[in-house]
Structures are given as C-alpha cells and as structure tokens.
C-alpha cells in the first residue's frame, strides 16, 4: 500500500488531469457523485473538447448511487451526465455503466454485480472517491454492515447515514481496492477532521471512519486536498 497526501490550491484541476490520463489509457474508471467532483468533471470535459479526444475505449463505472430515477436531482448519474457527458455529446463517447438505482437497493446491487462479473471483474485504472464529513466513502457509512462485506462487489444500503436519507447502492471495499490507483478528492474546512481521522499519521482502520478501512487494501492511494481540508493534518 502506498499513501500520498497532496495539498494543492486546485485539487479539482489535479483530479481532472488524473482522470484524463486514466481515460486516455482506455481502461475502466470509477467515478463518483457529490458536489466536490463536479468542477473536476467540468474541467475534464473542457480538456477533452479542446483536443477532441476519442474516449470510446474507456468504460466509466460508478462508485455508488442513490435509489432514485436517473433524471432525479439526487442521482449521481444525472450529475455526471450534466457536468461531463452532455458537454461531450458530439465526440466519441466512453461506455457508461450506470447503477440502476431506480430498481431499489437489493435488485440494483445484484444487477450491477452481474455487469461487473460479465466484464470479468476488471481491475480499474482509477477509482475516484469523495470523503464525507463523517468519514464515509461511496455509500458506506460509519459502522454499517457493508464495511465488513468481502464476498460481494456491490451492496445495497437500505439506510443512508447522512443526507439525503434515501437507500443507496455501493461498490464494496474489495471492488474499490481492485484498482491501479484510488484517488480521494477532498476540499473545505468541514472535511478536515475526517481527513485527519482517515489519512492522518495516527489513523488506523476503523469502521467508525469508513475511508480509513480502504487505506490498507488499496495498492496506491492518493488524497488530493485543498489547504482547508488539510488543516488538521
């Protein structure tokens, strides 16, 4: 395991460059939802448009999803579609494997696991994740049973631990760790305590801080931080 903490003034820009490199390699890339990565997706779309990159060899997967229709304002897919996919609509598109959250947590999890199985359980070139103020990653919340799941790649989450309180579907720790590189994108003072608890010098794997449990499993893990998010390190 290799852990790198990078404090930069523009973590979204650094993240978009990492995403572009992984996608140009034609591999499988896991993306995430939430407000923090939106600027990274927008910058990535600008970079792809500027050169006209062909992304048809890339497959995009999702780390997690809320159990809502894909056009719902809470949908992670909707955010990615607006920020990244729609601006590239006239260019060669990556394959997109969205989680069908509208099926409900159990059925959607089973369906997504089948898709991963059919794809040969790919090793992801890059997995992008955010970090909640409670230390959660993807849709795995503190002290929930999904954190101990080791036999499945995808889990249904009946109760979210943080707003919005809708059921979720999430990749499990073994699935997220099956990557050449895991990248956490974190910004803002409100995340500083969670950053220290998950990635600080005294951090240990702790189910009360879900992100900390991925650290020893990942081959290479990079945490992109702005100075505010790094303030407790």
């Amino acid at each position: 395991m290799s852990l790198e903490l990078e404090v930069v003034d523009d973590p979204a820009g650094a993240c978009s460059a990492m995403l572009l490199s992984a996608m140009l390699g034609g591999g499988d890339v896991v993306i995430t939802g939430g407000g923090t990565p939106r600027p990274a997706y927008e910058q990535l779309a600008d970079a792809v448009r500027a050169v006209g990159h062909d992304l048809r060899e890339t497959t995009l997967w999702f780390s997690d999803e809320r159990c809502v229709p894909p056009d719902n304002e809470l949908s992670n897919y909707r955010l990615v579609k607006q920020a990244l996919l729609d601006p590239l609509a006239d260019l060669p598109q990556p394959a997109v494997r969205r989680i069908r959250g509208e099926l409900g947590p159990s059925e959607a999890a089973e369906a997504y696991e089948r898709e991963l199985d059919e794809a040969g359980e790919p090793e992801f070139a890059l997995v992008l994740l955010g970090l909640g103020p409670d230390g959660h990653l993807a849709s795995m919340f503190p002290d929930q049973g999904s954190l101990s799941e080791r036999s499945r790649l995808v889990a249904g989450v009946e109760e979210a631990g943080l707003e919005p309180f809708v059921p979720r579907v999430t990749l499990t720790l073994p699935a997220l760790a099956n990557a050449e590189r895991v990248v956490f994108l974190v910004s803002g003072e409100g995340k500083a305590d969670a950053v220290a608890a998950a990635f600080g010098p005294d951090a240990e794997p702790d189910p009360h801080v879900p992100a900390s449990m991925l650290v020893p499993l990942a081959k290479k893990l990079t945490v992109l931080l702005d100075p505010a998010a790094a303030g407790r390190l």
Side-chain angles (χ1 to χ4, degrees):
M1 186 277 299
S2 171
L3 173 62
E4 302 174 342
L5 302 178
E6 298 186 14
V7 183
V8 293
D9 290 330
D10 181 18
C15 179
S16 69
M18 289 181 180
L19 284 169
L20 180 59
S21 177
M23 292 170 72
L24 291 179
D28 293 85
V29 174
V30 175
I31 51 179
T32 193
T36 302
R38 179 186 282 273
Y41 298 149
E42 292 170 345
Q43 292 184 48
L44 173 60
D46 289 343
V48 171
R49 285 204 64 81
V51 180
H53 290 302
D54 186 336
L55 300 179
R56 282 176 292 189
E57 298 301 314
T58 299
T59 300
L60 296 181
W61 302 84
F62 281 76
S63 66
D64 64 315
E65 184 57 278
R66 285 90 177 255
C67 289
V68 296
D71 58 353
N72 187 283
E73 63 180 9
L74 297 179
S75 167
N76 288 340
Y77 170 77
R78 180 177 184 262
L79 180 149
V80 171
K81 183 175 184 295
Q82 291 178 338
L84 176 60
L85 300 176
D86 286 350
L88 302 178
D90 59 334
L91 295 175
Q93 291 276 305
V96 179
R97 301 291 192 97
R98 77 172 184 89
I99 299 172
R100 290 179 286 164
E102 67 273 18
L103 299 176
S106 178
E107 188 174 346
E110 292 175 2
Y112 212 51
E113 180 125 24
R114 284 195 298 271
E115 287 198 48
L116 285 163
D117 287 342
E118 291 166 1
E121 296 184 16
E123 179 185 47
F124 303 116
L126 186 147
V127 168
L128 176 62
L129 297 167
L131 179 71
D134 60 349
H136 84 262
L137 76 164
S139 281
M140 287 182 283
F141 297 94
D143 303 313
Q144 288 192 340
S146 59
L147 292 168
S148 61
E149 178 60 64
R150 295 294 181 270
S151 62
R152 294 196 58 180
L153 301 176
V154 191
V157 180
E158 294 287 348
E159 294 185 14
L162 201 68
E163 291 185 347
F165 293 107
V166 295
R168 316 285 184 98
V169 178
T170 185
L171 296 187
T172 60
L173 291 174
L176 295 172
N178 185 29
E180 295 176 22
R181 186 177 207 173
V182 175
V183 176
F184 279 85
L185 176 62
V186 193
S187 62
E189 185 179 359
K191 305 288 183 70
D193 286 338
V195 168
F199 310 117
D202 299 322
E204 296 288 344
D206 181 354
H208 192 61
V209 186
S212 69
M213 298 187 67
L214 184 58
V215 175
L217 302 177
K219 297 169 187 172
K220 183 176 184 180
L221 194 150
T222 301
V223 187
L224 294 174
L225 304 160
D226 66 6
R232 304 284 195 278
L233 291 173

